[in-house]
Amino acid sequence: MILKEATIREIKTRMERYPSHRSAVLPALTAAYKQVGYLTPAIYRELARVIKVPYVEIMEAATFYTMFPKQEVGRYLIQVCHNISCSLRGADNMITYIESKLDIKLGETTPDNMFTLISVECLGGCSAGPMFQIDDTYYEDLTREKIDKILTDLRAQAEQDSR
Ligand code: FES
């Protein structure tokens, strides 16, 4: 068993809100992702058992959404939007800047396991691009200076959390 009792309880509580178990797939994936940090076929199997939805439907939903990483990622997953509005407002330059600042390429994780950098499709913050999402927070109208501060603050936060 990968999922903790608390996660399964949360999923079952959410299931009660929906008329169909199928509607609980995304909340269940979200709960599993929040516990584990990424999703795997073994987790899809557990979720299928818990919410009584076919494995393939869990897998289809999980693989459709880029917000669910499918492999272990760093403490912070930086999801940079590279869709049209953000691209027109400099997303490519921001990606290049983050890559050079963290000394990694898209899809990679820093050696200290602090940051993973990926690019994603539109996150719905088009009017404030370029932007990225880390955990549940959107960071918008990014500039190099803003990125420097965000990354420094997150490192400090992680250090504080580890004490
Ligand atoms: S195009 Fe980047 S948030 Fe929509």
Side-chain angles (χ1 to χ4, degrees), residues 81 83-86 122-126 131:
C81 173
N83 217 300
I84 187 70
S85 296
C86 287
C122 180
L123 290 169
C126 319
M131 58 85 65

mmCIF file of all heavy atoms in Angstrom, residues 81 83-86 122-126 131, ligand 1:
data_model
loop_
_atom_site.group_PDB
_atom_site.id
_atom_site.type_symbol
_atom_site.label_atom_id
_atom_site.label_comp_id
_atom_site.label_asym_id
_atom_site.label_seq_id
_atom_site.Cartn_x
_atom_site.Cartn_y
_atom_site.Cartn_z
ATOM 1 N N CYS A 81 4.596 28.069 -18.064
ATOM 2 C CA CYS A 81 3.701 28.050 -19.224
ATOM 3 C C CYS A 81 4.468 28.479 -20.464
ATOM 4 O O CYS A 81 5.165 29.490 -20.449
ATOM 5 C CB CYS A 81 2.514 28.987 -19.012
ATOM 6 S SG CYS A 81 1.507 29.131 -20.515
ATOM 7 N N ASN A 83 2.708 28.413 -23.516
ATOM 8 C CA ASN A 83 1.668 28.544 -24.532
ATOM 9 C C ASN A 83 1.726 29.935 -25.174
ATOM 10 O O ASN A 83 2.548 30.759 -24.802
ATOM 11 C CB ASN A 83 0.294 28.250 -23.922
ATOM 12 C CG ASN A 83 -0.585 27.499 -24.910
ATOM 13 O OD1 ASN A 83 -0.864 28.007 -25.983
ATOM 14 N ND2 ASN A 83 -0.995 26.311 -24.550
ATOM 15 N N ILE A 84 0.810 30.196 -26.101
ATOM 16 C CA ILE A 84 0.982 31.329 -27.017
ATOM 17 C C ILE A 84 1.081 32.683 -26.316
ATOM 18 O O ILE A 84 2.002 33.459 -26.596
ATOM 19 C CB ILE A 84 -0.131 31.327 -28.106
ATOM 20 C CG1 ILE A 84 0.129 32.396 -29.163
ATOM 21 C CG2 ILE A 84 -1.505 31.470 -27.512
ATOM 22 C CD1 ILE A 84 1.312 32.080 -30.034
ATOM 23 N N SER A 85 0.187 32.976 -25.385
ATOM 24 C CA SER A 85 0.218 34.306 -24.760
ATOM 25 C C SER A 85 1.508 34.498 -23.976
ATOM 26 O O SER A 85 2.153 35.552 -24.070
ATOM 27 C CB SER A 85 -0.978 34.496 -23.820
ATOM 28 O OG SER A 85 -2.162 34.455 -24.557
ATOM 29 N N CYS A 86 1.877 33.502 -23.223
ATOM 30 C CA CYS A 86 3.110 33.615 -22.436
ATOM 31 C C CYS A 86 4.331 33.655 -23.351
ATOM 32 O O CYS A 86 5.297 34.376 -23.071
ATOM 33 C CB CYS A 86 3.217 32.476 -21.433
ATOM 34 S SG CYS A 86 2.061 32.653 -20.046
ATOM 35 N N CYS A 122 -1.112 26.076 -21.372
ATOM 36 C CA CYS A 122 -1.756 27.223 -20.712
ATOM 37 C C CYS A 122 -2.265 26.888 -19.311
ATOM 38 O O CYS A 122 -2.965 25.903 -19.102
ATOM 39 C CB CYS A 122 -2.912 27.703 -21.575
ATOM 40 S SG CYS A 122 -3.774 29.105 -20.857
ATOM 41 N N LEU A 123 -1.907 27.739 -18.367
ATOM 42 C CA LEU A 123 -2.350 27.563 -16.981
ATOM 43 C C LEU A 123 -3.486 28.510 -16.636
ATOM 44 O O LEU A 123 -3.889 28.603 -15.481
ATOM 45 C CB LEU A 123 -1.167 27.792 -16.032
ATOM 46 C CG LEU A 123 -0.080 26.705 -16.066
ATOM 47 C CD1 LEU A 123 1.162 27.160 -15.305
ATOM 48 C CD2 LEU A 123 -0.599 25.402 -15.488
ATOM 49 N N GLY A 124 -3.969 29.246 -17.635
ATOM 50 C CA GLY A 124 -5.101 30.132 -17.395
ATOM 51 C C GLY A 124 -4.714 31.480 -16.810
ATOM 52 O O GLY A 124 -5.588 32.216 -16.350
ATOM 53 N N GLY A 125 -3.449 31.795 -16.826
ATOM 54 C CA GLY A 125 -3.009 33.111 -16.322
ATOM 55 C C GLY A 125 -2.495 33.975 -17.466
ATOM 56 O O GLY A 125 -1.579 34.776 -17.272
ATOM 57 N N CYS A 126 -3.113 33.818 -18.639
ATOM 58 C CA CYS A 126 -2.595 34.387 -19.887
ATOM 59 C C CYS A 126 -2.350 35.892 -19.835
ATOM 60 O O CYS A 126 -1.419 36.384 -20.461
ATOM 61 C CB CYS A 126 -3.549 34.085 -21.033
ATOM 62 S SG CYS A 126 -4.229 32.432 -20.992
ATOM 63 N N MET A 131 4.464 33.413 -16.941
ATOM 64 C CA MET A 131 4.126 32.997 -15.581
ATOM 65 C C MET A 131 4.508 31.536 -15.369
ATOM 66 O O MET A 131 4.700 30.789 -16.314
ATOM 67 C CB MET A 131 2.634 33.216 -15.316
ATOM 68 C CG MET A 131 1.672 32.507 -16.251
ATOM 69 S SD MET A 131 1.298 30.817 -15.810
ATOM 70 C CE MET A 131 0.447 31.015 -14.270
HETATM 71 S S1 FES B 1 -0.729 31.182 -22.283
HETATM 72 FE FE1 FES B 1 0.377 31.121 -20.406
HETATM 73 S S2 FES B 1 -1.154 31.050 -18.903
HETATM 74 FE FE2 FES B 1 -2.243 31.002 -20.768
#
